[in-house]
Amino acid sequence: MRFDVLTLFPELFDPFLRVGVTRRAYESKQVDVRLWPLRDFAEDNYRRVDDRPFGGGPGMVMLAGPLERALAAVKADRAITHPGAPAVIHFSPTGRRLDQALVRDLAQGEGAVLLCGRYEGIDQRVLDRHVTMEVSLGDFVLSGGELPALAMLDALTRLQEGVLNDAASHQQDSFSDGLLDCPHFSRPEVLETPEGPVPVPPVLLSGHHAEIARWRREQSLALTLRRRPDLIEAARREGRLDRKDEKFLASLTVPPAAKASPDGKV
């Protein structure tokens, strides 16, 4: 996979590409991330990439000229290793919400050009000419597209073969089967706290794999029902719930309290 990132702040990406479990994919070019500083495509001495909007109003707009030149350079360079028109993704509140289903779809492709806007936005003519998909992290506004680009890269990279130490790890993440992940526990078996000892759920120490699997499934169902009931309905529509699942959900007259897992996956 190859991702070409057009950004005013390439320095934001460097630490991300050098740390964590995903760094191996970036170092080996299994996921090839190339940064294109937009100011390199400005033509004046001030390397200007923005100007006031026509019609007035606050803020500045990213100029079409530098973006057009940058996109032309990226597409010409990509044609050497990845023939064909690339997907061009623009990060915008108007875009499709980034979710695991979209991540899985994109993870099967050859990458994309990631267009990171700033200021009040990008000249609409550039978006109309080049962008094939707009993506949003949610209903809030960020200062630019770099953080969404980083989030997308991380989500896509961890799905690539061999990136995670355990190949089954991402298969058990939240949303992998349409539900939130179950809670997780590790040593010590009993955590001593000022409020008293807090043990690990006994079933996890039983060594009975079928019972452990069922406990985890029920914890996942209970947590999802409490935090994201919409996911339960979606799983039901898609036929992801079996009779045991439905029986357990029916027993939950009041969604039980559940703690988020320590790794933040829920």
Side-chain angles (χ1 to χ4, degrees):
M1 302 184 75
R2 171 173 167 174
F3 290 94
D4 293 270
V5 185
L6 278 65
T7 173
L8 289 174
F9 300 103
E11 61 271 21
L12 292 176
F13 291 82
D14 185 58
F16 166 80
L17 298 174
R18 292 188 290 107
V19 300
V21 68
T22 55
R23 76 183 186 281
R24 296 193 298 268
Y26 305 127
E27 290 171 351
S28 68
K29 302 300 182 182
Q30 180 182 2
V31 178
D32 185 4
V33 179
R34 306 190 186 191
L35 304 175
W36 299 77
L38 282 172
R39 293 193 186 279
D40 289 354
F41 297 91
E43 291 187 325
D44 66 328
N45 293 333
Y46 296 99
R47 305 177 76 197
R48 189 168 188 174
V49 295
D50 64 295
D51 206 336
R52 293 184 297 275
F54 284 124
M60 306 290 274
V61 176
M62 294 182 70
L63 294 170
L67 287 163
E68 288 283 346
R69 290 187 287 274
L71 285 164
V74 168
K75 291 179 179 180
D77 192 71
R78 281 184 67 96
I80 301 172
T81 58
H82 292 69
V88 178
I89 298 175
H90 172 230
F91 299 99
S92 167
T94 64
R96 170 181 172 178
R97 182 79 63 90
L98 182 64
D99 57 21
Q100 195 66 15
L102 177 56
V103 168
R104 283 195 296 265
D105 287 344
L106 293 172
Q108 297 173 10
E110 295 187 346
V113 178
L114 306 184
L115 183 55
C116 301
R118 281 270 164 174
Y119 313 122
E120 288 299 307
I122 291 173
D123 190 302
Q124 186 64 40
R125 293 168 293 185
V126 174
L127 304 181
D128 292 341
R129 279 173 40 78
H130 300 282
V131 171
T132 60
M133 178 186 298
E134 290 194 308
V135 174
S136 170
L137 286 190
D139 296 339
F140 55 93
V141 179
L142 296 169
S143 299
E146 286 78 13
L147 289 178
L150 288 167
M152 175 180 283
L153 286 171
D154 186 75
L156 289 166
T157 301
R158 65 192 312 279
L159 295 186
Q160 301 305 306
E161 184 177 355
V163 171
L164 301 183
N165 291 325
D166 185 343
S169 180
H170 70 76
Q171 298 172 9
Q172 300 174 4
D173 286 342
S174 290
F175 312 113
S176 61
D177 63 353
L179 304 176
L180 300 179
D181 196 8
C182 66
H184 298 278
F185 300 85
S186 188
R187 293 177 176 78
E189 293 181 13
V190 178
L191 178 65
E192 300 294 340
T193 75
E195 295 77 30
V198 183
V200 170
V203 66
L204 298 179
L205 307 176
S206 69
H208 196 298
H209 297 299
E211 290 183 0
I212 292 172
R214 190 63 216 170
W215 180 87
R216 285 175 170 163
R217 177 67 173 179
E218 291 180 351
Q219 290 293 307
S220 176
L221 289 164
L223 182 59
T224 305
L225 180 63
R226 181 172 181 264
R227 302 280 182 86
R228 291 289 304 276
D230 59 304
L231 295 179
I232 293 289
E233 292 304 318
R236 183 173 287 126
R237 289 193 303 270
E238 296 167 6
R240 295 176 179 268
L241 305 181
D242 60 22
R243 284 185 292 179
K244 288 184 178 180
D245 294 337
E246 294 288 9
K247 182 178 179 180
F248 175 74
L249 288 168
S251 72
L252 302 177
T253 54
V254 177
K259 295 180 179 179
S261 65
D263 63 3
K265 290 182 181 176
V266 302

